[in-house]
Amino acid sequence: MPASPSVVLHDVTFTWPDGSVALDHLTTAFGSGRTGLVGRNGAGKSTLVRLVTGRLHPTSGTVTTSGPVDLLPQRLAVGTDGTGPATVADLLGVGDRLRALRSILGGDADPAHFDVLGDAWDVEERAALAVEGIGIGDDLDRPVATLSGGQVVLVAVAGIRLRGLPIAFLDEPTNNLDRRARGMLLDMVDDWRGTLVVVSHDRELLEHVDETCELRSGRMTVFGGTFSAFEEHLAVQQAAVEREVRVAAQRHRTEKRQRIEAETTIARRAKAGEKAGRSMPAILRNELRKKAQETAGRIRTSTADDEASALATKREAELRLRDDESIHVELPDPRVPASRRIATITVRGRETVVQGPERIAVAGDNGVGKTTLLEHLVGLPDARVHPLPGTDATAHVDQIAYLPQHKDTLDDDLSVLENVRRGAPQVATAELRNRLARFLVRGDTVDRLAGALSGGERFRVALAGLVLADPPPQLLVLDEPTNDLDLTSVDQLVDAVTAYRGAVVVVSHDETFLDRLDLDARLELR
């Protein structure tokens, strides 16, 4: 357990209302400094974060912290519906104090304003300084709805630093960040004061931590170093385990062969003894038969014990081998002919026609309008006017599958099965369950409310809904599809998109992912 732990989970179990167990008797701790929390999708990382931050409560066990905890959630509740922060100041967490300060300076001496403000008379200056360099100016009244996804994340992280609570959790903070924004976030992490736990699959970010914790199969492994050092440690460890498995398997084969040979020898001796005993007196023949049976019993017991011991050693070694499952994405084949005009994308007056099964990437800095362009392409009725002049997108087909950046295609108040059934009402329940199982969504999880899913689980369910489309989509539109995905699942997504026979338009800041897609064109928004 880390020295001077800031967060301690002792014998924590968490069970969902449907009876499925997310964490089972987990004991671990996070110390001061910067920790990277890693693990496969569905391992329970987001559940752990919600437990530590008080969003959930353990079914049993205890969670204790050395002070208040701040959180950057996977999905920030922002917008114009009144459920999230309305302005930059609100997103920073200082909106109420800023409004109180302005009321006081405007001559309103209501004591309530002084209670809200406290001693934070410099709140406006500190807030403006916190967002300096993010690229949104110093207008603290700017509506959050006008910010890009990446800008929202940076402002939210700046707000956590501004509030200065002793413990902070950042859940997948690099999602939606362009190269410049990522650099700013990494600088924030490097300069962080207090306890910081970063939940991420981002290799670059995980090189800026002091300690790596992996949540796997309900247990936590703590490694004192960066993720790359942890991977090297695992590689050496797994190579040793693989050798143990090979040696144990060889020993098991040898012991099994020796048992079979012993049985053959016993049978031969019994046959020979039976033949020799025909000429002996009955009392002597019975005595020899008894001794032979006793000897055979000892040999059988010994060889069986040796074989069982070898098998147990082999199985114990195999349990220490990592054999992680990954999603199996099989996108439908729309059989789009190469001559078919799929879409027209115009950037500053220059047209690009997407024709046949082409793969197009849309790139650019945060806030330049990449997501807005995709919304125009799929024909969302509430899409904003594009900020760049002469920039628009039009689809020439009706069968379009759209996976938005925040995977908000799911209804949180419906179960996973009910969400998927909306797009495939004609498919039998058993078949829907079978298809969801290919995305590692199995058992009781199928009946869980979508609002309880992790980011990775939401992605898999949303993508499963696309797979079930009938007729299959001719155009697949993906906005930051690798967000929340572990590395193995990214590999599966690459294979699926590469094999897909329809057109693909994708926005992603994951350059490695884009490089592997064998793109036909890359459109830069500036």
Side-chain angles (χ1 to χ4, degrees), residues 179-435:
R179 174 53 52 184
R180 177 176 173 275
R182 286 166 65 87
M184 293 183 63
L185 178 69
L186 295 179
D187 288 341
M188 291 180 183
V189 170
D190 288 339
D191 295 336
W192 204 277
R193 295 181 179 179
T195 297
L196 176 66
V197 180
V198 178
V199 182
S200 183
H201 297 117
D202 188 317
R203 290 179 178 275
E204 184 179 15
L205 174 59
L206 293 170
E207 291 307 297
H208 291 255
V209 300
D210 308 305
E211 187 173 77
T212 300
C213 292
E214 183 193 39
L215 184 58
R216 172 186 166 85
S217 301
R219 302 187 63 173
M220 188 77 81
T221 299
V222 180
F223 178 81
T226 64
F227 182 63
S228 62
F230 175 59
E231 282 191 311
E232 291 176 5
H233 167 75
L234 280 182
V236 172
Q237 182 187 71
Q238 287 297 292
V241 173
E242 287 173 0
R243 288 194 295 270
E244 287 184 38
V245 170
R246 289 195 297 269
V247 171
Q250 179 59 46
R251 181 192 164 205
H252 179 239
R253 287 193 295 268
T254 299
E255 297 295 348
K256 184 176 182 179
R257 185 175 62 252
Q258 289 179 349
R259 181 183 60 79
I260 294 172
E261 291 174 352
E263 288 290 346
T264 302
T265 300
I266 290 170
R268 287 174 180 171
R269 287 178 179 176
K271 186 175 182 180
E274 191 68 27
K275 182 177 181 181
R278 291 172 186 167
S279 59
M280 295 181 183
I283 188 170
L284 181 58
R285 183 170 62 247
N286 291 338
E287 184 65 24
L288 289 175
R289 182 183 296 119
K290 180 181 177 182
K291 289 184 178 180
Q293 289 173 344
E294 291 175 349
T295 301
R298 288 194 298 271
I299 293 174
R300 285 193 176 101
T301 300
S302 176
T303 56
D305 287 348
D306 290 344
E307 182 184 356
S309 174
L311 180 60
T313 300
K314 173 174 171 285
R315 287 176 175 171
E316 189 278 331
E318 287 174 338
L319 287 175
R320 289 185 282 118
L321 276 177
R322 291 176 170 246
D323 184 22
D324 294 313
E325 290 185 286
S326 58
I327 62 176
H328 300 280
V329 186
E330 297 176 8
L331 295 176
D333 184 357
R335 302 186 184 280
V336 174
S339 60
R340 179 67 185 272
R341 292 176 74 248
I342 303 296
T344 301
I345 302 176
T346 306
V347 179
R348 291 191 177 276
R350 184 175 180 179
E351 286 189 354
T352 297
V353 176
V354 183
Q355 187 166 308
E358 290 188 326
R359 293 166 178 78
I360 310 296
V362 178
D365 291 340
N366 287 138
V368 76
K370 301 185 298 297
T371 293
T372 300
L373 189 65
L374 296 190
E375 292 174 348
H376 285 205
L377 178 61
V378 301
L380 293 190
D382 56 348
R384 292 174 289 170
V385 175
H386 202 280
L388 297 181
T391 301
D392 202 355
T394 304
H396 306 307
V397 294
D398 296 324
Q399 283 81 49
I400 303 172
Y402 176 43
L403 193 66
Q405 190 177 109
H406 301 293
K407 288 74 174 175
D408 287 333
T409 56
L410 302 183
D411 186 330
D412 287 351
D413 295 325
L414 296 179
S415 70
V416 168
L417 186 62
E418 290 168 335
N419 268 283
V420 175
R421 185 183 297 284
R422 290 186 303 169
Q426 75 286 357
V427 180
T429 298
E431 177 61 18
L432 286 177
R433 287 181 174 272
N434 288 338
R435 297 191 188 188

Side-chain angles (χ1 to χ4, degrees), residues 129-156:
L129 184 63
V131 298
E132 183 179 8
I134 290 179
I136 62 171
D138 58 359
D139 181 6
L140 300 177
D141 297 316
R142 178 174 173 176
V144 171
T146 66
L147 303 180
S148 71
Q151 289 169 334
V152 167
V153 170
L154 285 179
V155 173

Side-chain angles (χ1 to χ4, degrees), residues 39-43 323-330 416 432-448 453-454 456-464 485-490 492:
R40 297 295 302 269
N41 290 142
D323 184 22
D324 294 313
E325 290 185 286
S326 58
I327 62 176
H328 300 280
V329 186
E330 297 176 8
V416 168
L432 286 177
R433 287 181 174 272
N434 288 338
R435 297 191 188 188
L436 283 168
R438 300 208 305 263
F439 291 79
L440 308 185
V441 181
R442 304 188 180 105
D444 294 336
T445 304
V446 175
D447 300 313
R448 186 182 302 167
L453 299 178
S454 70
E457 289 170 329
R458 291 184 72 85
F459 169 81
R460 296 201 300 272
V461 173
L463 190 56
L485 287 190
D486 58 52
L487 300 175
T488 304
S489 295
V490 171
Q492 291 287 337

Side-chain angles (χ1 to χ4, degrees), residues 96-97 99-121:
D96 290 342
R97 280 178 285 175
R99 284 186 284 272
L101 173 64
R102 289 173 175 172
S103 296
I104 293 170
L105 295 179
D108 187 346
D110 188 336
H113 298 321
F114 290 89
D115 291 339
V116 171
L117 182 61
D119 59 356
W121 293 93

